[in-house]
Amino acid sequence: MNRLASRLRVGEKIGIGFGVVALVFLGVVWHDQLALRALIEDYRYLSGVVGARQTQSFVIESRLAAMREAAERFLVSRDSLLPDRVRAEGAELGAALAELGGIDTVSVRTVDLLSGLTRDFLDRFSRIEAAWRLKGFDENSGLQGAFRDTAHELEQRAVRELPQLQSQVLQLRRREKDYLLRGDDEYVRMVEGIAAALIISIDASPLAPEARARLADLVRDYGRNFAALVEQDRLIAGLTEEMDRAADRIGPLVERNLAEAEAFMDRSSARFDALSAERARLALSVAVGATLFGLVFAVLVTGRIVRPVRRMAELLDRMTHENPAERVQAPADPRDEIMAMAVSLNTLADHKATFHHWWRDSMREAIALRDAHLAGSRIEREEALTELRAALGGKIHTLESLRSVLQRECDRMLEAAERLGRDRPQSSEDVLTLRRAAGTLRELLEVLKSG
C-alpha cells in the first residue's frame, strides 16, 4: 500500500481522494434513492391495493344497502319502477364485487360467495315480482282485480235476488277484508265456511233453478279466486322469507369483508410506518458512516501529503544548524513530487554530510601533519601520526561511501539502458554507448575497490 501510494503523484492522490469521497456520497445518494423507491412502492401498494380494497368494501356495503332498501320499498309500495331499481343496484353490486376480486387474491373466496348470494337474492326478488304481478300491484289488477270484480258482482246479485242473504254476504266480505288486512289463516277458514253455508242457503232458496245455479257458481268463483289469492299470498310470503334469508347471509359477509379490509389497512399502515422509520434510521446511519469514512479517508490522504512535508521541514531546519544523520524515508524512484523532493533533500543532506566529513578529516589531517612536523619528542610524533592515520581512514571511508554511491548509480544506468533497449529498439546505438560507459565506470570502481 505504501509502495502504491509512493508511485502516485500529489495531484493523483488528491484526485483519488476526492473521487473516493465522491463515490461514497454517490453511494449514499443511491442508497437514499433505493430507500425512497421502496417507500414509494410500499405506499403505492397501500393506496392501490389495501386502500382500494377498503374503498371497494365501502362501495359494496352501500350498494347492498341500496338494493335491499329498494326491495323493501317495493314490498311496501308495489311501485312498478322499483324492480328495475333493485336490478340496477344488484348489477352495480356485482360490478363492485368483480372489481374487488380483481384487486388482489385475498378476498376471492368471499367475493365468489357474495356473488352467489347476490344472484340468489335477485332471483328470489324476480320471482316475488312475478308473483306480485300475477296477484296485482293494486286491487284493480291481476288476481286482486278478478277477485274484486267477482266479490262486487256476488254482493250485488245476492242483495238483488236474495235480500235475506245480505247479512251472510256482508259477513263474508268482512272476513275477507280481515284476512287482507291481517293475513291470518283463521280468516281464510272463516271465509271458506261462510261461502259453503252461503251455497247451502242459495240451494235452499225459492229462486228458479237456473238463478240458483248462476248464483251458486258465482259464490264458487269467488271462493276459487279467494283461494288463488290466498295461495299467491303464501307464495309471496315464502319467497320473501327466502329473499330475506339470502339478504341476511349477505349482510354479515359484507360487514366482515369491510372489517377485514379496515383491519388490513390498519396493519399495513402500521407496518409501512415502521418500515419507513427503520429505513430512515438506516439512511441516517449510512449517511453518518459515509461522512465519517470520507473524513477519515481525507485525513489519511492529507496525512500522506503533509507528513513528508513536515519531516522535510524538520530536516531542513536541522541542516541549518547541524549535520543530522536522519533522512526522510522515500523510495528510490518515486513519481510523487513530494517524495521526489524528499529524495533530493536526502541527496543534499548526504552531500553536506560528505563535504562535512571530508572537510573535518582534511582539517584533522592538516593538523596532524603540522603536529608531526613540530613534534619535539617521539611520543608527540606518534600521537600526531595516530591522528593522521585516523584522519586518512575517515577520508578513505568517505571515498568508499562515494564509491558505493557511484556503484549504485552505475547499476541504475545499466538498468535504464536495458529498459531503453526493450522499449526503444530504434535507439540501440545510444543504448549501447550508455551501456558501455556504465560498464567502464563499473570496472573502474572495481579497480578502485581492489586498490
Side-chain angles (χ1 to χ4, degrees), residues 410 413-414 430-444:
C410 181
M413 289 171 63
L414 290 174
D430 295 335
V431 171
L432 181 60
T433 301
L434 180 62
R435 188 181 296 133
R436 286 174 180 175
T440 302
L441 182 59
R442 176 184 286 179
E443 290 174 1
L444 290 174

Side-chain angles (χ1 to χ4, degrees), residues 257-410:
N257 181 69
L258 180 59
E260 289 177 354
E262 292 176 346
F264 187 53
M265 182 70 175
D266 294 338
R267 290 195 304 269
S268 300
S269 299
R271 181 167 61 89
F272 290 149
D273 289 343
L275 284 175
S276 300
E278 182 179 353
R279 286 170 180 155
R281 289 192 297 269
L282 180 60
L284 181 61
S285 301
V286 170
V288 171
T291 303
L292 293 176
F293 175 79
L295 290 174
V296 171
F297 189 82
V299 169
L300 291 176
V301 173
T302 306
R304 284 194 169 274
I305 298 173
V306 172
R307 280 194 298 271
V309 174
R310 185 184 302 117
R311 287 196 294 268
M312 287 190 291
E314 293 174 354
L315 181 58
L316 283 171
D317 183 64
R318 291 182 62 188
M319 285 175 62
T320 58
H321 302 287
E322 57 180 299
N323 187 28
E326 294 82 2
R327 298 291 183 267
V328 179
Q329 185 177 359
D333 54 346
R335 292 182 69 248
D336 186 346
E337 294 87 345
I338 294 179
M339 289 294 101
M341 291 172 58
V343 171
S344 299
L345 182 60
N346 290 337
T347 303
L348 178 63
D350 291 340
H351 289 170
K352 181 183 177 184
T354 300
F355 175 79
H356 174 77
H357 292 155
W358 185 266
W359 176 81
R360 184 193 60 184
D361 292 335
S362 297
M363 292 299 296
R364 288 174 63 191
E365 180 185 5
I367 293 171
L369 288 173
R370 185 198 64 184
D371 291 343
H373 180 71
L374 299 175
S377 63
R378 185 175 63 82
I379 296 175
E380 291 178 351
R381 184 176 180 81
E382 288 179 356
E383 290 178 353
L385 291 175
T386 301
E387 181 66 19
L388 179 60
R389 284 193 293 271
L392 291 174
K395 294 177 75 174
I396 292 172
H397 179 73
T398 301
L399 290 173
E400 182 64 26
S401 299
L402 291 174
R403 191 201 64 80
S404 299
V405 173
L406 291 173
Q407 184 69 43
R408 288 196 302 271
E409 295 299 324
C410 181

